[in-house]
């Protein structure tokens, strides 16, 4: 799992591009700004791990990305 630090607020378009850093990316609640398109060129290869009710969950739903809720 690749963990995005809590200090991050924005993830840019194709942040993970052609170089996947892993199959699972944990996105903290601090991230509130997402691109209008996908985080990766291969979005079907990724699963986001997101807090319930977060902007990350809304982004995953809006873009159809695979995701699961972060366990407390």
């Amino acid at each position: 799992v690749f963990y995005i630090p809590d200090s991050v607020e924005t993830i840019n378009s194709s942040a993970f591009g052609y170089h996947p850093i892993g199959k699972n990316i944990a996105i903290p609640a601090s991230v509130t700004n997402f691109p209008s398109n996908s985080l990766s060129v291969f979005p079907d290869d990724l699963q986001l791990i997101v807090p319930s009710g977060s902007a990350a969950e809304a982004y995953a739903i809006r873009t159809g990305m695979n995701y699961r809720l972060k366990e407390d």
Side-chain angles (χ1 to χ4, degrees):
V1 176
F2 178 80
Y3 293 90
I4 295 175
D6 288 336
S7 59
V8 174
E9 297 178 357
T10 299
I11 297 178
N12 294 321
S13 178
S14 294
F16 305 108
Y18 287 97
H19 305 287
I21 52 175
K23 297 282 184 187
N24 299 297
I25 301 172
I27 302 177
S30 63
V31 178
T32 57
N33 298 304
F34 291 87
S36 59
N37 56 354
S38 182
L39 297 176
S40 172
V41 175
F42 306 107
D44 292 340
D45 292 343
L46 297 177
Q47 181 181 59
L48 305 181
I49 303 167
V50 302
S52 179
S54 67
E57 181 182 20
Y59 173 79
I61 292 168
R62 178 172 48 88
T63 60
M65 289 194 72
N66 298 320
Y67 79 99
R68 68 178 168 91
L69 297 178
K70 178 182 174 187
E71 297 176 13
D72 290 329

